[in-house]
Amino acid sequence: MYLLPAIDILDGKAVRLAGGDYAKVTVYNDDPVLQAQLFEEAGAEWLHMVDLDGARDGDPANVEVVSAILRRTKLHVEVGGGIRTLDAARRLLDTGADRAIFGTALVRDPELAQAAVEEFGADAVVAGIDAKDGDVKVEGWVAGAEVTALELAAKMAALGYEHLVYTDIARDGLRTGIAPAAYVEMFQAFGNPVIASGGIASVADIQELAKVSQAIEGVIAGRAIYEGAFSVASGVAACKGTMVDEPDYLRDLEKPIRL
């Protein structure tokens, strides 16, 4: 299990949405590259990035931001948002990103989803399944897909996908805590450990996921880190099972500076 601090990009800034609502945006850093550097300095090895402009509009809009982060850090990066063609995935992978996350395309274009595995390899593609009450949402979470998350996970496994990010939209960006059983169910449907996303509120949530670590590849955390609920260092340690108490000032060091 490993930690993936999240950077969601909208209008060139690092933000978080509340429950996937584009009308409920909190800006945490005007400079996503600087934010990535802060995460790396704090001990992160992976970064989860979502191009919210791309997710909404249907084509990646922040490729240069991804490229800049990869030039200025040694982070492993997975990135999604608007990847609905092989060319879009190729543009992002050509920056040096480790993985491209397919979301809407999994539902709208299954042939593309299969072609992506064949062209880029199973380790370079991720099935991004975002659901609310178990039902998949696409196109930046604004449209229904008429398929359940469990059904889609099984389909992606059949196509050869080995990585899956499962986001609980109702909890995402709200720090409401997590439901470990939901990720275990996804693991059972998918056949491989999944990356958990949505609602991480504290280190205790990560520790709960660690109890079912055979089902969990990684843990994505965003708002809780930005707002100081726990530090990247403690999140990394919790994922590794080496968590110890930390002083408050460590969490404060990772908060964005507001002038």
Side-chain angles (χ1 to χ4, degrees):
M1 240 171 72
Y2 52 88
L3 184 73
L4 299 96
I7 294 181
D8 293 356
I9 304 172
L10 184 66
D11 297 327
K13 300 177 182 179
V15 310
R16 295 296 284 170
L17 304 183
D21 190 341
Y22 278 76
K24 298 178 180 178
V25 180
T26 302
V27 177
Y28 285 107
N29 200 318
D30 289 338
D31 186 347
V33 179
L34 174 59
Q35 187 62 60
Q37 291 173 315
L38 292 172
F39 285 154
E40 181 180 42
E41 290 169 6
E45 297 180 357
W46 275 91
L47 182 67
H48 175 82
M49 295 185 66
V50 178
D51 182 340
L52 292 174
D53 300 288
R56 180 188 57 205
D57 301 332
D59 189 62
N62 291 284
V63 177
E64 286 305 315
V65 177
V66 177
S67 181
I69 286 173
L70 286 160
R71 288 196 306 271
R72 299 186 195 180
T73 74
K74 296 181 180 179
L75 291 166
H76 295 288
V77 174
E78 63 175 29
V79 58
I83 303 177
R84 301 175 195 172
T85 65
L86 292 179
D87 179 67
R90 191 177 298 108
R91 278 184 282 143
L92 288 163
L93 293 172
D94 283 349
T95 67
D98 292 83
R99 301 173 188 159
I101 305 169
F102 287 82
T104 296
L106 305 181
V107 176
R108 299 284 191 248
D109 194 346
E111 292 183 359
L112 170 66
Q114 183 169 17
V117 178
E118 294 171 354
E119 175 157 342
F120 304 119
D123 204 43
V125 293
V126 180
I129 298 181
D130 307 328
K132 190 170 185 178
D133 299 324
D135 294 322
V136 174
K137 301 293 182 182
V138 295
E139 297 173 9
W141 299 352
V142 299
E146 298 183 355
V147 64
T148 70
L150 296 176
E151 290 169 343
L152 187 56
K155 289 179 180 179
M156 293 306 104
L159 291 183
Y161 280 73
E162 296 178 0
H163 300 288
L164 185 153
V165 172
Y166 178 55
T167 301
D168 186 343
I169 296 171
R171 297 172 184 267
D172 190 69
L174 296 176
R175 289 178 55 190
T176 54
I178 47 85
Y183 299 105
V184 173
E185 289 181 349
M186 288 296 287
F187 158 68
Q188 292 169 335
F190 186 55
N192 288 294
V194 302
I195 298 173
S197 173
I200 297 293
S202 66
V203 167
D205 287 326
I206 298 177
Q207 292 171 322
E208 283 299 306
L209 289 171
K211 294 177 182 178
V212 291
S213 60
Q214 73 277 10
I216 309 297
E217 177 181 351
V219 181
I220 295 169
R223 188 180 292 268
I225 292 174
Y226 288 115
E227 297 187 351
F230 62 90
S231 70
V232 167
S234 63
V236 168
C239 284
K240 294 179 178 179
T242 58
M243 178 65 193
V244 295
D245 291 336
E246 65 175 1
D248 290 344
Y249 71 82
L250 284 180
R251 296 193 294 272
D252 293 338
L253 283 175
E254 293 165 25
K255 293 180 182 178
I257 298 172
R258 300 190 184 281
L259 301 176

